[in-house]
């Protein structure tokens, strides 16, 4: 018997060396990868399954098992790696600190909701009295609290209504008010706007079956243009606030007071959701101002300057709003209980983040930026405070610049900050990354500083 036929060591407790016949020396590591049911029995994954659902947890386990089969980790590490790869929540949307300086950033979800609105959504997430009267035990008006709050916010409106966005409000108005004997919507060529993602107003209105009667030119429209186009076939005159651009120079436009004298309803799409005039935005139309000027119907967005959830807001004459609410299309455009809850809390609760950011004191912004930079420079980071100009965004107040303060960092930090456990999005200017604090609530200063330090360490 040769040495190769013997085991490397005696049987435990014995002095005899046994033959090694039949012993497998090379074991395929893939055979050692634990079964899925064994990994899912880990207490951490059982808890995660209750929070995230079985599909997401099982998928994380599968990825960890494959890494073990590929030799990237050991079989004993499968459960740990699966736990580490679990998503923070069942939904794929990732919370972001908006340091772009754009207060209402469409790509980042537009208006951030107030804490009161978030609490209201949580309360409404289960069964709630969305259209039920708890006192009488009978069916009640759907979303009465939100509608009452909206009416109180714009008391000049005879009636109010809510649909799922401002485009829906315009579609409902065009569909319900245009009729066979009066199918025409009179609108200035200078107000046939296009907004983000190739959304064009004339295409939206045309799909309702209404006929567009364009008047004036791109840069000049007079009251005589409207007067010549209105008549028995006019359903209404549409006034649209060009909220994402400005036309300057040789221009002319017609205000609501003059249009209201034409003898046909005036529908005014103010767009941005400003309910009452704002001193910092003197050229931004408000719902209250438009109604006082004579508009029969005003449409607006709930998720822009109002600072609430996505919604289309309707204000105006009682007969028109009620007609719209009774139209069959209104059912297809109605909002859910979560939107109603968030809208009511936005209207009745504390100042929402957008309004707070709009009113922020530049000196306070510089103080906040300096405190963060002191912490960063103490960690040997290339950071400094610079003046900046923020914007409203979201198609509101075009051209309005808001003085602000920003933290200037090396451009190389942009990607690590976006991909961190707490994502931070800023803007790039002249080879530097600027984190503008006007769009960052003060309570996010500490998480922002921590995220920068983590990104720099990576």
């Amino acid at each position: 018997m040769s040495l190769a036929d013997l085991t490397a060591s005696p049987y435990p407790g014995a002095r005899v060396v046994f033959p090694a016949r039949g012993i497998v020396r090379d074991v395929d590591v893939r055979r050692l990868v634990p079964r899925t049911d064994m990994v899912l029995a880990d207490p951490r994954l059982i808890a995660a399954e209750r929070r995230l659902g079985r599909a997401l947890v099982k998928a994380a386990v599968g990825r960890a098992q494959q890494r073990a089969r590929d030799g990237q980790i050991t079989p004993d590490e499968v459960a740990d790696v699966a736990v580490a790869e679990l998503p923070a929540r069942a939904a794929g949307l990732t919370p972001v600190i908006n340091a772009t300086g754009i207060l209402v950033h469409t790509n980042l979800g537009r208006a951030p909701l107030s804490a009161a609105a978030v609490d209201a959504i949580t309360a409404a997430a289960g069964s709630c009295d969305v259209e039920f009267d708890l006192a009488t035990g009978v069916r009640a008006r759907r979303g009465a609290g939100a509608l009452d709050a909206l009416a109180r916010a714009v008391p000049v409106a005879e009636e109010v209504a809510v649909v799922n966005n401002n485009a829906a409000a315009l579609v409902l108005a065009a569909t319900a008010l245009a009729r066979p004997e009066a199918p025409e919507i009179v609108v200035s060529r200078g107000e046939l706007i296009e907004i983000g993602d190739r959304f064009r107003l004339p295409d939206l209105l045309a799909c309702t079956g209404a006929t567009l009667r364009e008047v004036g030119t791109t840069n000049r429209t007079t009251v005589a243009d409207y007067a010549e186009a209105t008549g028995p076939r006019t359903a209404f005159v549409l006034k649209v606030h060009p909220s994402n651009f400005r036309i300057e120079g040789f221009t002319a436009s017609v205000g609501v007071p003059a249009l209201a004298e034409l003898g046909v309803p005036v529908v005014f799409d103010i767009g941005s959701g400003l309910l009452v005039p704002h001193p910092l935005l003197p050229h931004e139309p408000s719902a209250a101002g438009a109604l006082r000027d004579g508009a029969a119907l005003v449409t607006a967005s709930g998720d822009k300057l109002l600072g609430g959830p996505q919604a289309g807001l309707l204000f105006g004459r009682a007969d028109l709003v009620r007609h719209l609410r009774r139209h069959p299309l209104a059912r297809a455009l109605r909002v859910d209980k979560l939107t109603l809850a968030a809208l009511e809390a936005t209207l009745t609760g504390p100042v929402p983040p957008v309004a707070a950011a709009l009113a922020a004191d530049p000196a306070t912004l510089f103080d906040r930026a300096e405190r963060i930079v002191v912490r960063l420079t103490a960690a040997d980071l290339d950071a400094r405070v610079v003046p900046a100009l923020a914007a409203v965004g979201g198609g509101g107040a075009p051209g309005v610049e808001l003085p602000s303060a920003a933290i200037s960092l090396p451009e190389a930090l942009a990607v690590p900050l976006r991909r961190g456990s707490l994502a931070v999005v800023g803007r790039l200017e002249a080879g530097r990354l600027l984190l503008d604090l006007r769009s960052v609530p003060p309570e996010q200063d500490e998480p922002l500083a921590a995220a920068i330090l983590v990104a720099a360490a990576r």
Side-chain angles (χ1 to χ4, degrees):
M1 181 181 296
S2 68
L3 184 63
D5 294 324
L6 301 178
T7 58
S9 61
Y11 186 77
R15 298 179 178 275
V16 181
V17 177
F18 292 94
R21 295 187 182 92
I23 295 178
V24 178
R25 296 183 178 279
D26 296 325
V27 177
D28 188 343
V29 71
R30 291 175 295 182
R31 295 180 179 272
L32 302 179
V33 175
R35 299 196 315 267
T36 300
D37 58 341
M38 294 178 60
V39 182
L40 289 174
D42 186 294
R44 297 169 296 174
L45 295 173
I46 292 174
E49 187 174 326
R50 290 194 294 268
R51 181 171 56 88
L52 300 172
R54 186 174 182 84
L56 288 176
V57 175
K58 190 174 180 180
V61 170
R63 290 192 297 270
Q65 289 172 320
Q66 188 58 51
R67 290 183 62 183
R69 295 185 189 102
D70 294 341
Q72 298 175 9
I73 60 175
T74 66
D76 292 340
E77 294 177 303
V78 168
D80 293 338
V81 170
V83 170
E85 289 188 354
L86 288 173
R89 53 195 60 82
L93 294 177
T94 301
V96 171
I97 291 181
N98 174 16
T100 64
I102 300 173
L103 308 189
V104 182
H105 200 302
T106 298
N107 303 135
L108 299 181
R110 287 191 176 171
L113 295 179
S114 66
V118 173
D119 288 343
I121 288 175
T122 302
S127 298
C128 63
D129 57 343
V130 64
E131 49 182 291
F132 185 76
D133 190 325
L134 293 173
T136 62
V138 299
R139 186 172 183 171
R141 184 174 60 147
R142 181 179 177 84
L147 293 172
D148 290 343
L150 196 59
R152 291 194 300 270
V154 186
V156 69
E158 295 178 4
E159 277 285 351
V160 299
V162 181
V163 291
N164 54 24
N165 61 25
N166 191 39
L170 277 177
V171 163
L172 182 58
T175 305
L177 301 182
R179 52 201 188 279
E181 67 274 16
E184 295 182 352
I185 299 173
V186 178
V187 59
S188 169
R189 290 187 175 92
E191 297 174 5
L192 291 175
I193 63 172
E194 176 180 332
I195 59 176
D197 200 24
R198 299 186 64 185
F199 175 84
R200 293 180 172 180
L201 180 66
D203 296 340
L204 176 73
L205 296 173
C207 79
T208 69
T211 301
L212 293 186
R213 184 77 180 272
E214 301 175 17
V215 299
T217 62
T218 301
N219 59 317
R220 290 182 63 84
T221 304
T222 66
V223 70
D225 295 324
Y226 286 101
E228 291 173 4
T230 56
R233 292 179 55 80
T234 303
F236 59 87
V237 170
L238 177 61
K239 176 73 175 173
V240 182
H241 176 52
S243 56
N244 58 357
F245 68 95
R246 291 188 303 178
I247 299 179
E248 298 178 341
F250 187 58
T251 64
S253 61
V254 182
V256 172
L259 295 176
E261 296 178 359
L262 296 174
V264 295
V266 177
V267 176
F268 191 3
D269 172 15
I270 65 170
S272 68
L274 191 65
L275 301 189
V276 296
H278 195 290
L280 292 179
L281 308 173
H283 303 297
E284 193 74 14
S286 67
L291 292 172
R292 291 194 186 97
D293 286 344
L297 189 69
V298 174
T299 70
S301 296
D303 57 344
K304 294 185 180 180
L305 287 174
L306 178 59
Q310 177 177 294
L313 312 178
L314 288 152
F315 309 87
R317 273 175 25 194
D319 61 326
L320 294 183
V321 176
R322 289 170 186 164
H323 178 58
L324 266 58
R325 285 209 305 243
R326 287 194 296 265
H327 194 277
L329 184 60
R331 177 61 180 247
L333 303 177
R334 82 176 187 180
V335 295
D336 72 337
K337 60 182 180 178
L338 303 183
T339 300
L340 291 169
L343 178 61
E344 181 179 359
T346 299
L347 292 164
T348 62
V351 175
V354 169
L358 189 61
D361 176 26
T364 301
L365 297 176
F366 272 95
D367 289 341
R368 290 171 52 198
E370 287 170 357
R371 285 195 293 270
I372 294 175
V373 165
V374 166
R375 181 175 172 183
L376 299 179
T377 53
D380 293 328
L381 265 68
D382 175 12
R384 53 184 180 267
V385 180
V386 297
L389 292 174
V392 172
V400 174
E401 296 179 332
L402 304 170
S404 185
I407 300 166
S408 175
L409 297 168
E411 183 177 351
L413 285 176
V415 173
L417 278 170
R418 290 201 310 269
R419 300 184 66 178
S421 56
L422 176 57
V424 178
V425 180
R427 67 177 187 266
L428 299 178
E429 286 186 9
R432 300 284 290 181
L433 171 64
L434 300 188
L435 304 181
D436 194 316
L437 293 192
R438 187 176 277 271
S439 58
V440 179
E443 60 269 20
Q444 289 186 338
D445 284 359
E446 171 60 29
L448 174 62
I452 296 170
L453 291 172
V454 170
R458 299 215 318 265

